[in-house]
Structures are given as structure tokens and as C-alpha cells.
Amino acid sequence: YKNYSKRIKKVKIKFLKIFIKNRKNKINCVGYGAPAKLTTFSYVLNLKKNYFRAIVDDSTYKQKLLTPGRKIKIISFEDLKNYKFEMILIFAWNFSKPIFFKLKKFFKNKKIIIPFPNVKIIKI
């Protein structure tokens, strides 16, 4: 349990640095995936609503709704094509490979963050 707590603390510090830098440099970020773990993740890491322009989810049941607690707008992948963003954080990290390839097909010059099992930032 102790090692788990240290690992979470490291991830939290890394993410806070990324998002503070993004806000300072006016870099727009969106999320991808609105699984239940997004709520836990956002509260544990203290991710604020203003860190994200929106969250993309492929489920039509979630689109046009807001995330629990943080109230971030959930949009479709088609809507994402009309958004201005430079960075995307994959919240559905267990599906990061297919999401990565989908993003790579439609977007260029973007950074993708995959938070787990280890934080990776990949430029496409």
C-alpha cells in the first residue's frame, strides 16, 4: 500500500506540472474516454474542469452529458474534429492502443498522454 501511495503521488505531481504549464502557455487539452475511473482519477489527481476543453467518448449514451463532479462536457469523436487542441489525455488507458491509432489517423502535431501503467507523452 505504501508503494502504491508513493506512485500515485509521483503521477499527481507530474500531471499537475503538465497542466500548470499548459495553462501558462495557453495549450488546449482534451480528454479521451469517460469511464467510471475518470471520476476517481480526476479527484485523486485534483484535475480541474478548466484543464480540459472537453472529454471525447465513443458511447452515444455519454455524449452531450457532463462528467460526474467536475462537470466537463462529453463530446463525440466527430465533434473533436472541430475543436482546437494541442494535447489529449487518454482516460480509457486500457484502450490506449486503438485510441492512439484512431487519433493518429485524423490528427497531426498533437501530444497524447497515456497515464498508466507509466506516464507516456507521445507526439503524433
Side-chain angles (χ1 to χ4, degrees), residues 13-29:
I13 290 167
K14 188 165 190 155
F15 274 102
L16 289 177
K17 284 180 183 178
I18 289 169
F19 289 111
I20 289 168
K21 185 179 175 182
N22 283 357
R23 286 177 56 202
K24 183 179 176 184
N25 296 323
K26 297 183 177 162
I27 294 172
N28 292 309
C29 187

Side-chain angles (χ1 to χ4, degrees), residues 53-64:
R53 296 201 60 213
I55 305 289
V56 177
D57 200 277
D58 295 325
S59 170
T60 55
Y61 295 109
K62 296 178 184 181
Q63 295 164 4
K64 298 180 182 171

Side-chain angles (χ1 to χ4, degrees), residues 5 11 15 23 26 37-38 42 60 69 75-76 80-81 85 91 99 107-108 118:
S5 180
V11 170
F15 274 102
R23 286 177 56 202
K26 297 183 177 162
K37 60 187 164 194
L38 165 61
S42 67
T60 55
I75 63 171
S76 70
L80 179 64
K81 294 176 184 177
F85 71 97
F91 290 113
I99 292 170
F107 299 101
K108 302 290 179 235
N118 297 307

Side-chain angles (χ1 to χ4, degrees), residues 8-123:
I8 289 174
K9 194 172 187 174
K10 279 184 174 182
V11 170
K12 182 176 182 175
I13 290 167
K14 188 165 190 155
F15 274 102
L16 289 177
K17 284 180 183 178
I18 289 169
F19 289 111
I20 289 168
K21 185 179 175 182
N22 283 357
R23 286 177 56 202
K24 183 179 176 184
N25 296 323
K26 297 183 177 162
I27 294 172
N28 292 309
C29 187
V30 295
Y32 200 110
K37 60 187 164 194
L38 165 61
T39 303
T40 303
F41 184 78
S42 67
Y43 277 95
V44 169
L45 297 184
N46 197 26
L47 300 179
K48 307 286 186 205
K49 177 183 179 177
N50 62 355
Y51 290 170
F52 302 94
R53 296 201 60 213
I55 305 289
V56 177
D57 200 277
D58 295 325
S59 170
T60 55
Y61 295 109
K62 296 178 184 181
Q63 295 164 4
K64 298 180 182 171
L65 298 176
L66 302 173
T67 62
R70 299 292 188 208
K71 308 255 185 268
I72 304 167
K73 181 174 30 173
I74 302 174
I75 63 171
S76 70
F77 187 77
E78 286 303 312
D79 291 337
L80 179 64
K81 294 176 184 177
N82 299 319
Y83 268 68
K84 180 185 175 215
F85 71 97
E86 293 78 33
M87 186 174 284
I88 190 160
L89 172 57
I90 298 178
F91 290 113
W93 52 82
N94 49 321
F95 297 106
S96 61
K97 279 188 180 181
I99 292 170
F100 171 79
F101 288 112
K102 183 176 183 178
L103 291 168
K104 189 175 178 179
K105 184 176 177 180
F106 291 96
F107 299 101
K108 302 290 179 235
N109 299 317
K110 308 291 183 195
K111 289 184 180 176
I112 298 174
I113 303 173
I114 303 170
F116 291 107
N118 297 307
V119 179
K120 288 186 212 169
I121 301 175
I122 304 165
K123 188 171 181 180

